[in-house]
Amino acid sequence: MPGLVHVSTTINGNQVDFLCEPRQSLLECLRDVVGMTGSKEGCNDGNCGACTVVLDGRIVTSCLVLGVEAQGKEITTIEGVASPEGLHPVQQAFLENAALQCGICTPGFIVASKALLDREPDADEARIRHWLAGNLCRCTGYDKIIRAVLDAEERMKA
Amino acid sequence: MASNVVLSEVEYNVVGKRPVRPDGVDKVTGRAQYGADLHLTGLLHARVLRSPYAHARINSIDTSAAEAHPGVRAVVTARDLPFASLTKEELGGDYQRLKFASDNFLASGKALYKGHAVAAVAADTVHAAEAALALIKVDYEELQPVMDVQEAMKAGAPLLHGDLLHTTYMGNASDDPSNIAAYLKFEKGDIEQGFAAADVVVEREFETASVHQGYIEPHNATAFWNPDGQLTIWCSTQGSFVVRNNTADVLRHPVSRIKVVPMEIGGGFGGKVTFYLEPVAAVLSRITGRPVKLLMSRTEVFEGSGPAPGTWMKAKIGATRDGKITAAHVTLAFEAGAFPGSPVMAGATCGLAAFDLENGAIEGYDVVVNKPKTAAYRAPGSPQAAFAIESVIDELCQKLDMDPIEFRLRNASKEGTRKVEGPVFQKVGLVECLEAARNHEHYQAPLEGPNRGRGLAAGFWMNRGFHSSCNITVNPDGTVSLIEGSVDIGGTRASIAQQAAETLGIPYEDVKPTVVDTDSVGYTMVTGGSRTTFATGWAAIKAAEDVKQQMVERAAQIWDTDPENVEYQDAVISHLSDPELRMTFKELARQIYPTGGAITGTASLDPAGEGNSFSVHIADVEVDPDTGKTTVLRYTAIQDAGKAVHPSYVEGQMQGGVVQGIGWALNEEYFFNDRGHMANSSFLDYRMPTSLDLPMIDTVIVEVANPGHPYGVRGVGEVPIVPPLAAVASAVSRAIGVRMDKLPVNPGAILEARWANGH
């Protein structure tokens, strides 16, 4: 098909090659081209955070990144958070603290929360609330999410 | 200081515990399959063309250029739906309702709001479909829109439905066409006499803006119309059977030939009881012979799905000096949106429910305006009514210099109270909630400092019963599979499995719940109305009782005795007269295949006995006098949950409802320009609360068991959104010394109120 661009990138530690149109967002490429549907589309304009991924160490809303920009980069998505040994402490903390209801925002929250704790293992409530302000959750009122992230800090230290 | 408290009366083994939900791992790893995640072989992608006008006649639609666009497989308009061509003479009885329903899927004749669906395109890619939308030529004749509920009620207002709509009252229709679809009135006692006996009377008018449920997952549907006429729909819905039945109605297709597969649902809050895309995707699939996937964008969700109604309300309440209400008179005018059917009836039955009144009257108007057809939003109608009534109560307390809890206790509804519209309360927990609020450390602690205020409000929701079905099959390893039709929107797989486990006397982990499609379980109504843990939970209890009975019969057969000689107790099956003969549930389960085959317990019920819910909220706020920005300092929600089956999920419902209510009170609104166009249809401009805007939300679950359920369960999901509008607005009013009577109470409104009062 003419007009398609070959993109070679790394997703969750694996080299991935895909073809996309220059106008396609990274989110669209992940979901519709590569077939990784864990990242969710809630708004497609960068305001809900459900499509949050880590791109070369920075969290981004993948709906605001073009697929072609993934060339040569390293991407971590929700599918790369758990390991063969089991869930990541952030995931376990979300489960045990009832930090999800419908679950559609959860992948974005977990990717963003893990990114915070990877760099700031002692983030306090105010810092967590500030960091997660780009992720919308309509079900929980955030209370149990904040508690889960604080709990994950303890789990990651143990 | 922050806390979650459960005040329990009765303890159980599994009910009341906090296990991890069965679908949890899939949802924290990104594996859970939501509707948009589905990708079928040969899939086509569809997009919807929407009206650029709030009110317009559609003279013609030319789809030829779109159909010729590369990659386009089909274009549909209302002419492809069976109801669009029916005339008024052909519409009678239920047909008017169906015509309105059909016209909301695809407009015929007139576009009634900006964003109203007009046509749809299916193409090889979503980009080709989008490009083709621009090639559809619609000849519109723009008409004057009517956006305000009071304007729409006036004689001479532009009529949305011409002579099709007449006001109905007590089943009778008026002679003249109108935008007022329905009028209702409930009365008790003599309000004139009641007001004459009052020492203080407060009367105020209130307005609230349209707001959206704000679920993060946009509407989605995939449909495949097989050449044999079998239609399968995969979608995000609160009620798979509602989608099945209403699609059958609108497409005139047999209900038996439609299967609806509910995918995981990314929030609904009532907004996904209604649906928008499924019949359109189905017709596109019928024409193309291929599966068709149709997704809404966020802007389409705002402009093309149902918000909660904007309102105009008036409340007049009188009381004696010692704090006894003598009379209340409330008028509610609710926007229905473009088609009849606002929740004004629910607003009218909830609004005064917290008060044991001798004299009360409540009137309601259901009014069509050029906005999207409203949909249910968590306790639909009750938050708005409570905003008006609880605000007037707060003002009465100020005038009487009386504690708001003391005032409410002196007038509180309790068992035996007759509501204004007639029903008499069974056991309810309002007094218990008010007492828990008064005893709470939050309420005991004085709120000090300038520009701060504390607001208190109560809320009511009746909760629902309705049909539910459930099957439980015993596995040979002693676990059970639980099959249910209730979509799990926030943990009901767990809360239903807990009730099955409790009834069977087996561990929670031994119950594996699965939500299935409409061909695979009996009729089950929506996940909504705060009914799921109550009614589907009860179906699970009944199915579990059936399993127990069959296990007893099987043991009797094995032991060659009568079932009357066998007892089931705590998952142990025993011979009553021979202590040697006993088997655990697991031991018997291992033997069921060779001794007669599978055991499946089934239940289908429509339970009465739903327990009404009350809640009481305390809000502390601080208002910045320079910017008008309100900060919520502290918030405590107290609620009678009956028995909290999974307290963490009950707390989550309470906290989520509170925060939606805070958004409704302080920020959220559909902002329309003078042509009736929503000017803020993105999450950037329609500002919902973020984690940064909020404190922790403290909760107190008060357990006043519902006598109408085996474990005392009431519904919990809806009532927590009822008090916050009034609690927050009253807190702001007390902080700035001016009564706020319009929502949202945003910084601009606060500054204007302060300036108007000479601050």
Side-chain angles (χ1 to χ4, degrees):
Chain A
M1 199 170 166
L4 294 181
V5 179
H6 173 206
V7 177
S8 186
T9 187
T10 303
I11 304 177
N12 302 328
N14 302 311
Q15 196 199 314
V16 175
D17 289 82
F18 62 84
L19 298 174
C20 69
E21 294 179 51
R23 66 177 167 187
Q24 287 183 292
S25 70
L26 176 58
L27 176 63
E28 195 182 338
C29 292
L30 286 171
R31 290 180 55 82
D32 297 343
V33 181
V34 181
M36 297 174 74
T37 56
S39 305
K40 303 302 179 189
E41 179 185 318
C43 68
N44 214 27
D45 55 14
N47 284 298
C48 81
C51 66
T52 302
V53 301
V54 180
L55 183 71
D56 276 0
R58 277 182 61 205
I59 56 168
V60 296
T61 45
S62 59
C63 69
L64 293 187
V65 176
L66 289 172
V68 294
E69 292 182 85
Q71 173 66 36
K73 300 267 174 53
E74 285 199 22
I75 299 165
T76 305
T77 70
I78 182 65
E79 288 92 344
V81 174
S83 68
E85 288 74 50
L87 298 180
H88 186 275
V90 171
Q91 293 171 312
Q92 198 62 41
F94 267 63
L95 279 184
E96 292 181 19
N97 288 276
L100 58 143
Q101 286 179 30
C102 81
I104 197 82
C105 71
T106 309
F109 267 98
I110 285 175
V111 169
S113 300
K114 177 179 177 296
L116 171 64
L117 300 189
D118 283 346
R119 70 192 70 190
E120 297 179 36
D122 297 307
D124 64 8
E125 183 193 330
R127 177 62 178 148
I128 296 167
R129 285 188 180 276
H130 188 266
W131 180 270
L132 293 177
N135 291 79
L136 291 176
C137 171
R138 193 59 159 174
C139 295
T140 64
Y142 303 102
D143 184 300
K144 292 187 187 299
I145 291 176
I146 305 299
R147 289 177 198 274
V149 179
L150 288 166
D151 180 32
E153 285 185 354
E154 300 307 313
R155 290 166 187 262
M156 288 169 76
K157 284 172 194 155
Chain B
M1 201 164 66
S3 63
N4 305 115
V5 177
V6 184
L7 304 175
S8 284
E9 287 178 339
V10 188
E11 299 292 337
Y12 297 96
N13 292 323
V14 186
V15 166
K17 302 297 190 287
R18 304 175 187 243
V20 167
R21 58 196 287 173
D23 52 330
V25 171
D26 281 348
K27 285 179 176 163
V28 298
T29 56
R31 288 206 171 275
Q33 287 281 299
Y34 295 82
D37 302 336
L38 187 72
H39 189 92
L40 301 176
T41 302
L43 187 67
L44 297 176
H45 300 267
R47 297 285 290 154
V48 171
L49 180 72
R50 295 178 181 277
S51 170
Y53 301 112
H55 195 187
R57 194 171 309 286
I58 300 171
N59 291 324
S60 64
I61 305 177
D62 178 358
T63 59
S64 55
E67 281 161 21
H69 187 71
V72 169
R73 303 290 172 170
V75 182
V76 295
T77 65
R79 66 172 180 254
D80 297 293
L81 299 178
F83 283 91
S85 57
L86 292 175
T87 64
K88 187 188 169 192
E89 286 65 42
E90 295 168 285
L91 302 171
D94 209 26
Y95 278 80
Q96 175 163 327
R97 180 182 67 81
L98 292 168
K99 167 92 163 82
F100 283 155
S102 178
D103 283 354
N104 204 31
F105 291 118
L106 285 170
S108 71
K110 274 170 98 180
L112 294 166
Y113 52 94
K114 180 174 183 289
H116 195 164
V118 170
V121 176
D124 293 345
T125 69
V126 70
H127 300 287
E130 250 162 33
L133 292 184
L135 301 174
I136 298 173
K137 296 186 194 74
V138 186
D139 177 14
Y140 292 106
E141 178 188 339
E142 190 174 2
L143 304 169
Q144 181 65 38
V146 57
M147 305 301 294
D148 177 82
V149 65
Q150 286 180 281
E151 291 298 318
M153 291 169 73
K154 287 180 183 160
L159 292 173
L160 271 74
H161 296 287
D163 61 356
L164 201 53
L165 196 60
H166 297 250
T167 309
T168 57
Y169 173 58
M170 306 283 280
N172 299 314
S174 64
D175 293 334
D176 296 327
S178 170
N179 289 322
I180 304 171
Y183 169 73
L184 61 91
K185 184 173 188 181
F186 300 121
E187 271 182 297
K188 179 186 174 190
D190 182 336
I191 56 169
E192 295 313 319
Q193 214 174 317
F195 283 121
D199 295 313
V200 189
V201 175
V202 173
E203 180 173 8
R204 264 189 192 279
E205 295 182 17
F206 296 86
E207 289 174 37
T208 68
S210 304
V211 298
H212 200 272
Q213 298 84 353
Y215 33 82
I216 305 298
E217 179 204 36
H219 294 266
N220 58 74
T222 300
F224 179 54
W225 197 303
N226 220 28
D228 63 3
Q230 287 292 340
L231 169 61
T232 305
I233 294 168
W234 298 260
C235 59
S236 175
T237 176
Q238 289 177 243
S240 47
F241 284 88
V242 171
V243 174
R244 185 192 71 170
N245 296 0
N246 294 2
T247 299
D249 283 346
V250 166
L251 296 183
R252 317 303 290 155
H253 195 61
V255 78
S256 59
R257 314 208 86 189
I258 303 174
K259 176 168 87 173
V260 175
V261 185
M263 305 296 288
E264 295 300 335
I265 175 170
F269 315 107
K272 288 178 185 165
V273 167
T274 313
F275 62 106
Y276 304 92
L277 306 173
E278 286 78 352
V280 179
V283 173
L284 286 166
S285 177
R286 188 181 65 202
I287 295 168
T288 59
R290 309 235 320 244
V292 173
K293 182 170 167 179
L294 183 44
L295 311 179
M296 277 196 194
S297 69
R298 177 54 52 184
T299 294
E300 288 180 288
V301 172
F302 277 118
E303 296 188 344
S305 76
T311 66
W312 173 88
M313 301 173 287
K314 188 159 77 173
K316 178 183 178 185
I317 303 177
T320 59
R321 224 168 272 110
D322 61 353
K324 185 74 193 156
I325 297 174
T326 58
H329 185 194
V330 178
T331 304
L332 309 173
F334 279 24
E335 296 170 358
F339 299 97
S342 77
V344 68
M345 172 70 91
T349 55
C350 291
L352 291 168
F355 306 101
D356 185 357
L357 299 175
E358 264 182 53
N359 309 297
I362 195 156
E363 298 173 76
Y365 296 88
D366 180 39
V367 185
V368 293
V369 295
N370 290 109
K371 295 184 183 180
K373 165 74 180 78
T374 56
Y377 180 17
R378 212 167 193 159
S382 189
Q384 297 98 321
F387 167 57
I389 292 160
E390 294 284 320
S391 291
V392 166
I393 295 290
D394 194 61
E395 198 170 349
L396 274 173
C397 292
Q398 286 180 302
K399 285 200 183 334
L400 293 167
D401 195 22
M402 186 173 283
D403 175 81
I405 291 181
E406 181 58 34
F407 182 91
R408 283 174 175 80
L409 280 168
R410 290 184 188 186
N411 297 283
S413 290
K414 51 184 82 67
E415 188 170 5
T417 297
R418 180 174 288 282
K419 294 175 72 192
V420 170
E421 80 277 15
V424 175
F425 278 120
Q426 301 202 5
K427 183 71 185 161
V428 285
L430 175 60
V431 169
E432 289 83 349
C433 286
L434 286 165
E435 284 170 351
R438 186 161 61 180
N439 295 334
H440 197 278
E441 181 264 328
H442 180 174
Y443 201 71
Q444 299 280 330
L447 178 66
E448 287 160 352
N451 305 309
R452 291 180 166 190
R454 173 170 292 167
L456 183 132
F460 173 79
W461 183 249
M462 63 290 268
N463 298 326
R464 298 295 192 188
F466 298 147
H467 285 92
S468 279
S469 301
C470 186
N471 303 332
I472 297 177
T473 296
V474 180
N475 297 316
D477 61 357
T479 64
V480 300
S481 298
L482 187 159
I483 301 299
E484 55 177 306
S486 285
V487 175
D488 184 351
I489 206 162
T492 51
R493 284 183 181 90
S495 67
I496 291 161
Q498 283 177 272
Q499 295 177 68
E502 186 75 46
T503 305
L504 289 169
I506 65 177
Y508 163 79
E509 293 74 17
D510 286 355
V511 181
K512 183 186 172 190
T514 306
V515 178
V516 296
D517 63 68
T518 52
D519 278 354
S520 306
V521 68
Y523 183 67
T524 299
M525 270 289 285
V526 296
T527 295
S530 300
R531 63 172 291 278
T532 307
T533 296
F534 169 79
T536 308
W538 200 338
I541 293 167
K542 227 177 135 194
E545 295 289 357
D546 188 10
V547 165
K548 284 163 70 172
Q549 181 58 32
Q550 292 185 55
M551 293 289 267
V552 163
E553 286 164 9
R554 189 64 60 89
Q557 178 198 321
I558 292 168
W559 291 327
D560 196 19
T561 183
D562 291 332
E564 291 72 40
N565 294 331
V566 178
E567 164 186 83
Y568 186 114
Q569 189 73 43
D570 298 330
V572 175
I573 300 97
S574 320
H575 195 297
L576 283 173
S577 50
D578 185 346
E580 296 286 306
L581 294 178
R582 67 191 292 281
M583 286 185 280
T584 64
F585 189 88
K586 278 191 190 308
E587 286 165 346
L588 179 52
R590 214 176 292 141
Q591 297 184 41
I592 60 173
Y593 290 175
T595 58
I599 285 178
T600 297
T602 66
S604 189
L605 46 73
D606 179 9
E610 63 266 27
N612 304 151
S613 281
F614 279 103
S615 61
V616 175
H617 291 190
I618 311 161
D620 292 354
V621 305
E622 180 171 328
V623 177
D624 184 319
D626 296 323
T627 66
K629 181 179 188 298
T630 299
T631 302
V632 179
L633 301 171
R634 189 169 182 190
Y635 202 104
T636 302
I638 299 109
Q639 179 176 328
D640 171 20
K643 183 67 192 171
V645 175
H646 191 303
S648 294
Y649 293 145
V650 175
E651 290 155 10
Q653 290 294 322
M654 293 166 71
Q655 292 162 333
V658 164
V659 169
Q660 286 183 315
I662 289 173
W664 198 335
L666 291 177
N667 279 100
E668 296 178 30
E669 66 176 313
Y670 273 51
F671 190 90
F672 290 99
N673 69 16
D674 56 5
R675 293 178 68 195
H677 298 191
M678 185 184 184
N680 60 332
S681 56
S682 78
F683 276 149
L684 182 64
D685 298 315
Y686 182 95
R687 201 176 174 292
M688 307 199 307
T690 73
S691 55
L692 196 54
D693 300 319
L694 298 159
M696 292 294 191
I697 308 297
D698 290 354
T699 61
V700 180
I701 299 172
V702 181
E703 293 190 340
V704 179
N706 170 20
H709 182 276
Y711 298 122
V713 171
R714 297 175 195 267
V716 296
E718 288 172 294
V719 77
I721 203 174
V722 180
L725 284 58
V728 171
S730 291
V732 171
S733 300
R734 286 173 179 253
I736 67 171
V738 184
R739 179 57 51 179
M740 301 303 289
D741 50 19
K742 290 187 180 64
L743 297 184
V745 184
N746 59 25
I750 288 172
L751 290 180
E752 280 175 18
R754 284 173 51 82
W755 294 333
N757 284 271
H759 293 281

